[in-house]
Amino acid sequence: MAKRPRIAVVGSANVDLTTFSDQFPKPGETIFGQRFDLGFGGKGANQAVAARLCGADVFMVARVGDDLFGPCSIRNFEQLGIDATHVRQVPGVSSGVAPIFVDPSGQNRIIVVKGANDQLQPADVDAAADILKSADCIVLQFEIPLETVYYTIKFAQQNGIRCILNPAPAQALDIDAVADLDYFVPNESEAEAISGIPVRNLDDAGRCAAKLLASGIRRVIITLGANGSLLAGSEGMEHVPAFDVKSVDSTGAGDAFIGSFATFLGEGLPEQEAVRRANLYAGLSTMGMGTQKSFYDRARFDLEWARRKG
Ligand code: RIB
């Protein structure tokens, strides 16, 4: 039986308001959309849920708002069996929310209003230090203050804990502060924004990964949607192809990748196999609408893996 990994996520929790529409309004125009979905999201929370559904013990360190959504988000973590001891409500501040627009191809456009996520401080990391020290892996994203991200990376390094950073949404960063991470995992647009190299195909992704490695980052995985992932380190690069899926909504697929990858790696699987499985887990998540609600649990995933692994 595989080892049950202990994964801590220091990150965001949002509520997603997703509109499915075959067109987008011009300035001043009102149009009808086809469908609406309200659900729990936020890159941190999504990655925590994916890891939990894949079978890890998961601890969330986050801030939610003083509104209807705050207590519901905490309850969502608890109902899924995620330890929410260190998810705190901030008085007088709204929860993080994300209006999301999905087109008929399943592609999304997201606006995040960070709300309480922006109040997650290094002091919250200190308050959760005991739980964090018990983790095999700490997972981070960029929907909380960068100061807290860098502080947590240092904390992970000082305590010898594996650390995975998903630099999403992309923003200007201090490369030195992220250089010694175990895994730096952007998607194409984040990789492009950070490296300055447009990523339109696998060759571009290779050039981009090479630049990130040359800047001092130790290990990079660029997720490429329907093209799978590119895994890059000092020993070279490897393209890990995606699986065929019929995608209706790609929202949260990157988060599904990160949470499942952290779990598969924590179970002791070889890195390449962990990436391959995470490619499938992310792909499957695009077959359903919504974010967390489209993630597979481990039993369903294992059936698909057995059927498709070849
Ligand atoms: O990665 C998808 C997530 O991005 C959504 O759940 C939304 O909340 C934004 O954080």
Side-chain angles (χ1 to χ4, degrees), residues 12 14 16 40-43 46 98 100 110 112 143 251-252 255 291:
S12 58
N14 295 336
D16 290 350
F40 296 105
K43 295 181 193 302
N46 296 342
I100 299 176
I110 305 180
V112 171
E143 286 181 335
T251 314
D255 303 328
T291 314

Side-chain angles (χ1 to χ4, degrees), residues 34-90:
Q34 277 69 53
R35 206 182 150 139
F36 174 75
D37 183 80
L38 180 69
F40 296 105
K43 295 181 193 302
N46 296 342
Q47 293 169 20
V49 169
R52 178 69 193 141
L53 290 174
C54 285
D57 285 333
V58 180
F59 309 87
M60 186 78 202
V61 180
R63 291 275 190 153
V64 295
D66 183 15
D67 51 17
L68 267 180
F69 295 149
C72 296
S73 295
I74 293 177
R75 229 178 1 262
N76 180 53
F77 288 129
E78 291 170 346
Q79 280 169 355
L80 288 162
I82 294 171
D83 186 319
T85 314
H86 292 281
V87 181
R88 304 255 158 80
Q89 241 185 314
V90 190

Side-chain angles (χ1 to χ4, degrees), residues 170-186:
Q171 48 201 289
L173 53 75
D174 173 357
I175 290 283
D176 292 340
V178 302
D180 283 328
L181 276 169
D182 295 281
Y183 291 97
F184 186 79
V185 191

